[in-house]
Amino acid sequence: MSFTLPDLPYAHDALQPFMSKETLEYHHDKHHLAYVTNGNNLLKGTEWEGQSLEDIVKGSFGKNAGLFNNAGQHYNHLHFWKWMKPNGGGAIPGALEKAIIDGCGSMEKMKEDFIQAGVTQFGSGWSWLALKDGKVTVMKTANGESPLVHGAQPILGCDVWEHSYYIDYRNRRPDYLKAFIDQLVNWDYVAEMYDAAAK
Ligand code: MN3
C-alpha cells in the first residue's frame, strides 16, 4: 500500500474565518503532500511495505525515524481534515458526550484541558482526545507522534505545528485551539472514531 493525498472534504475557503484558504492551501496542498511523497520514498524496500498505515506507524516508531515521522504525520493529517467541518462545534452525539464527561469530568473541563495540552506542547506537536484503558482522556504528543504509539487510540487531534495556525493567528496558539474546539470540530467524525475504538 502506498500513501496518497486525499482531497479535502470541503472547499479550501470553507473553514473561514477560523482557518483561512491560504492556510489550507499550504497545509494540505504542500505540507501534507510532502509527508505523502517522502513517506512513499522512505517506505520502499522496508519490512513495512504492504502493511496498513496504522501498522506502519506503530511498527516504524523507534526503529526508522524518517519513515515514522512522515507516515505518522500522514496518519495524523488524514484524520485532521475530517476532524473539522464548516459550522463545526455544536452538538455532540450522546454516547460520546457521556464518555467524555465520564473520562474528563465535564465538557468544559475537557475543552480546557485539550486547549491547555496544545498550549503547553513545547515546539511542534498535537493535542488529543484518545481512548486509553477504556476512558476518554486528553493527551499531547511531539512532532509526528500520536496516541497510537503511546498505547491509546486517537479520536480527536489538533495540529499545533506553527504551519497550522501562524498565517491566521500568528503566535496566538491559545486562540487557535479555542477556535478549533468551539467552531471547527466535526463531532460526528469524532464519534465515529470513538465507536470504532470502543468496540
Ligand atoms: Mn500539519
Side-chain angles (χ1 to χ4, degrees):
M1 191 193 92
S2 60
F3 307 145
T4 51
L5 182 70
D7 287 335
L8 283 176
Y10 32 73
H12 286 78
D13 62 2
L15 301 183
Q16 299 189 123
F18 306 109
M19 188 176 284
S20 67
K21 180 169 183 269
E22 188 183 3
T23 289
L24 284 172
E25 284 169 351
Y26 275 90
H27 197 180
H28 173 272
D29 303 2
K30 297 181 192 297
H31 289 277
H32 190 174
L33 178 63
Y35 299 132
V36 166
T37 306
N38 295 334
N40 281 328
N41 288 334
L42 291 161
L43 180 61
K44 268 183 214 139
T46 69
E47 64 187 280
W48 299 286
E49 210 172 355
Q51 294 189 8
S52 72
L53 178 57
E54 286 197 21
D55 286 343
I56 295 167
V57 170
K58 289 191 236 181
S60 62
F61 182 59
K63 289 188 181 164
N64 182 329
L67 175 59
F68 171 77
N69 288 336
N70 287 281
Q73 284 289 72
H74 178 47
Y75 173 89
N76 295 348
H77 287 81
L78 276 181
H79 294 292
F80 183 58
W81 312 130
K82 296 202 269 186
W83 278 321
M84 299 186 286
K85 69 170 187 180
N87 304 308
I92 299 183
L96 173 62
E97 186 174 31
K98 190 171 172 298
I100 289 173
I101 293 168
D102 185 41
C104 304
S106 68
M107 286 300 301
E108 284 318 302
K109 183 77 168 75
M110 176 279 288
K111 287 186 179 185
E112 203 179 290
D113 290 352
F114 185 89
I115 290 169
Q116 192 60 16
V119 168
T120 57
Q121 173 52 45
F122 186 76
S124 296
W126 294 73
S127 59
W128 302 97
L129 277 185
L131 196 65
K132 185 165 191 174
D133 303 325
K135 293 274 186 196
V136 174
T137 185
V138 172
M139 297 176 73
K140 61 181 173 182
T141 60
N143 301 319
E145 293 179 22
S146 74
L148 272 189
V149 297
H150 295 285
Q153 197 68 29
I155 62 171
L156 174 67
C158 184
D159 187 343
V160 299
W161 286 56
E162 286 187 348
H163 67 220
S164 192
Y165 63 89
Y166 222 81
I167 290 171
D168 301 324
Y169 297 87
R170 297 301 170 184
N171 61 330
R172 293 178 291 113
R173 192 190 282 191
D175 292 354
Y176 157 67
L177 280 152
K178 187 167 170 34
F180 177 87
I181 200 81
D182 286 338
Q183 312 287 346
L184 290 173
V185 174
N186 177 356
W187 287 107
D188 290 328
Y189 188 60
V190 181
E192 203 179 295
M193 290 199 76
Y194 169 73
D195 291 344
K199 265 187 192 143

